[in-house]
Amino acid sequence: MSTLYEKLQHARSEEDVKDIYIKALGLKSYTKGLIDIRTDEIWFEAKEGGKISSYAMFTQLLHYVQDALNKGEIIPPFLAVIDTEKAALMKTADVLPLLKNKSIKWGKSASQYPKEALDEVSAYIGAYFVSFKISSHEQEFIQAVKQAIQTGEIIRAQITPDNLKQVFDKWVAMIGREIIGVNEEDYALLFFADIMHDGTLSTHEHLPAELLHKNNAPVFSLNGKLYELANKEGYRRFWAIYHKPPHSEYRNYLLERRDSLIPLDERSFKGAFYTPLAVVDAAYNKLTEVLGKNWQKNYIVWDMCCGVGNLEVKHSNPRNLYMSTLDQADIDVMRATKTCAAAYRFQYDYLNDDITDDGKIDYSLTNKIPESLRQAIREGKKILVLMNPPYAEVGTGSDSGNKAGVTKNKFSTTAMDSYGKASSELFMQFIVRIAQEMPTATIAIPKR
Ligand SMILES: C[S@@+](CC[C@H](N)C(=O)[O-])C[C@H]1O[C@@H](n2cnc3c(N)ncnc32)[C@H](O)[C@@H]1O
């Protein structure tokens, strides 16, 4: 099915543009005339092409509104301008103060407005209308119009688990790329800092990045540095369309889906894929079946590639729980969302940390492993390694899972001489270190 935008690209006349929008918006009772499309709720000014500014289109539309006001006729609660590339929506009440003082010199007809009228209208309405680029935001526009008709308000689109990835991609295009001097791989953290903020307060304390304001403009703080926006227009337009913060019931879930926003090549390199909760459920049932119903009490659990901790959220005995992972940002997200708050959570690179030059394990190299875990390992206590490790193999193919960097870690280069080809598998590297470090541990790996 072709989209609104695709259909608009085939429009041959202004009439086509009107008809395409009428259909896409599902308008039922309307008339076409001087006011291009007129419904009880919205008046539309339409143009073919995309060259005429929204300001100019609104100026024409406001001429009719002024006319109606002068004649004491009914005016609609909303005004919209539409063309082949863009659309914009505004509440009529917001511009009434401008029309009431009757200072604007309108032209003979709506389309022959003098430049002064355009300037005066433009200076006033910029803060009120919400604009949508149709190629990227047609759904948001359609929704906003439908909700405006239903509720009498311009309601911003919600950020939900279903549109998180699309919203993030649009955020990168309109805001992320305008942030001066920031690395692409940090976009996801800055995105979360931005969306989890209501304009005054952040919804979570201690997120890895923070949104601040300087001279009334947004700035981002990450790892002790401040990052400013080169251009604030995209920021204004983006947040005119979306509502923030997201509904409270989604917030933690959205934060934990950072993996889904990490660029694909970095993600497959780190194996940053999330274990769906249904798989976690099935895994816990299986563990109860195999290890007995008291396994959460009897076993010390270590997940050394825990990401944001999905595998452990069902665990009910956090004091027996050790969770470590490669990215400090994941640990920070767990702290901010209070995931497994009572567990031991720490950054630890399982394939590089605490490995001596001759492939032995020496915890004093980083001192990151909690003493209680070291003791459990020393004493050969019952340990369950519960993990969903990264999978990637060194190869010659161009498949993004085949990364030259995979073997380049301390463990595979110092401790896996006798493992042949297996030494090039990330997954095997984890298993071999576990075998060396905790030879009596039980390993549990969920599989779909
Ligand atoms: C498949 S994900 C599983 C994440 C989490 N357990 C879950 O189920 O949602 C693998 C995780 O291992 C982490 N990881 C990759 N290399 C690692 C390393 N050398 N040491 C520790 N963690 C690592 C990745 O950052 C990623 O979060």
Side-chain angles (χ1 to χ4, degrees), residues 31 49 103 162 168 170 175 252 338 352 402 420 424:
T31 55
S103 64
D162 292 338
F168 173 68
K170 291 171 188 175
I175 299 177
N252 284 353
K338 303 193 167 61
N352 285 296
N402 289 339
S424 56

Side-chain angles (χ1 to χ4, degrees), residues 259 269-276 280 303-312 324-327 330 348-352 387-391 426 430 446:
D259 61 337
F269 177 55
K270 285 185 183 166
F273 294 99
Y274 181 89
T275 315
V280 179
D303 181 349
M304 62 283 288
C305 45
C306 71
V308 289
N310 228 34
L311 259 185
E312 285 73 31
S324 59
T325 197
L326 184 61
D327 280 344
D330 282 340
Y348 193 72
D349 180 343
Y350 197 66
L351 302 176
N352 285 296
M387 64 171 180
N388 183 359
Y391 294 84
L426 263 184
F430 272 79

Side-chain angles (χ1 to χ4, degrees), residues 5 8-9 11 17 21 47-50 82-86 134:
Y5 185 68
L8 286 169
Q9 301 319 297
V17 173
Y21 272 102
K47 291 274 180 253
E48 195 201 344
I82 48 180
D83 69 18
T84 320
E85 298 292 332
K86 62 188 179 298
I134 296 300

Side-chain angles (χ1 to χ4, degrees), residues 9-258:
Q9 301 319 297
H10 296 113
R12 293 278 159 266
S13 64
E14 195 178 297
E15 276 314 297
D16 287 353
V17 173
K18 289 187 220 172
D19 290 338
I20 293 167
Y21 272 102
I22 286 171
K23 205 150 169 236
L25 296 170
L27 301 180
K28 294 271 152 30
S29 53
Y30 57 86
T31 55
K32 292 188 198 165
L34 265 184
I35 294 163
D36 287 329
I37 306 168
R38 181 179 186 146
T39 72
D40 287 347
E41 298 88 3
I42 310 183
W43 289 358
F44 294 85
E45 172 68 29
K47 291 274 180 253
E48 195 201 344
K51 293 225 166 62
I52 300 184
S53 74
S54 299
Y55 292 98
M57 289 196 271
F58 271 123
T59 304
Q60 293 192 31
L61 195 51
L62 286 175
H63 186 137
Y64 299 120
V65 177
Q66 181 83 70
D67 241 19
L69 277 176
N70 295 348
K71 293 180 187 150
E73 289 171 1
I74 292 180
I75 51 168
F78 296 96
L79 302 170
V81 298
I82 48 180
D83 69 18
T84 320
E85 298 292 332
K86 62 188 179 298
L89 187 63
M90 178 164 64
K91 279 180 92 168
T92 315
D94 287 334
V95 276
L96 284 184
L98 174 72
L99 303 185
K100 278 197 176 125
N101 65 25
K102 296 198 176 163
S103 64
I104 301 175
K105 304 269 173 298
W106 303 97
K108 278 203 198 69
S109 70
S111 56
Q112 290 174 310
Y113 53 81
K115 184 172 176 306
E116 296 74 45
L118 174 63
D119 290 346
E120 207 171 334
V121 169
S122 303
Y124 192 87
I125 66 173
Y128 296 114
F129 70 81
V130 181
S131 54
F132 302 82
K133 194 171 162 195
I134 296 300
S135 61
S136 56
H137 285 94
E138 61 174 62
Q139 276 317 319
E140 286 79 358
F141 175 64
I142 294 170
Q143 256 218 322
V145 168
K146 288 187 171 166
Q147 287 181 332
I149 292 173
Q150 249 179 32
T151 64
E153 293 294 329
I154 298 178
I155 295 182
R156 295 186 171 100
Q158 288 288 338
I159 302 171
T160 68
D162 292 338
N163 67 11
L164 180 70
K165 176 75 177 129
Q166 287 99 309
V167 174
F168 173 68
D169 290 343
K170 291 171 188 175
W171 182 93
V172 168
M174 292 170 78
I175 299 177
R177 297 204 197 292
E178 297 293 337
I179 305 173
I180 304 165
V182 88
N183 291 329
E184 291 226 356
E185 61 257 33
D186 291 327
Y187 282 163
L189 295 177
L190 300 174
F191 169 71
F192 281 124
D194 197 7
I195 71 170
M196 296 298 174
H197 197 286
D198 67 7
T200 317
L201 279 179
S202 180
T203 57
H204 294 74
E205 283 175 40
H206 313 303
L207 282 177
E210 204 180 348
L211 175 69
L212 305 168
H213 290 87
K214 197 173 130 193
N215 304 330
N216 261 337
V219 287
F220 292 90
S221 147
L222 176 68
N223 300 330
K225 270 205 200 144
L226 286 186
Y227 296 92
E228 297 188 17
L229 286 166
N231 180 334
K232 290 155 205 86
E233 185 51 21
Y235 193 87
R236 192 192 70 75
R237 282 196 293 119
F238 184 89
W239 287 118
I241 298 172
Y242 293 104
H243 179 81
K244 68 178 194 164
H247 278 314
S248 53
E249 78 232 53
Y250 295 141
R251 287 178 202 158
N252 284 353
Y253 179 82
L254 293 175
L255 278 172
E256 286 158 14
R257 295 310 321 270
R258 191 174 80 89

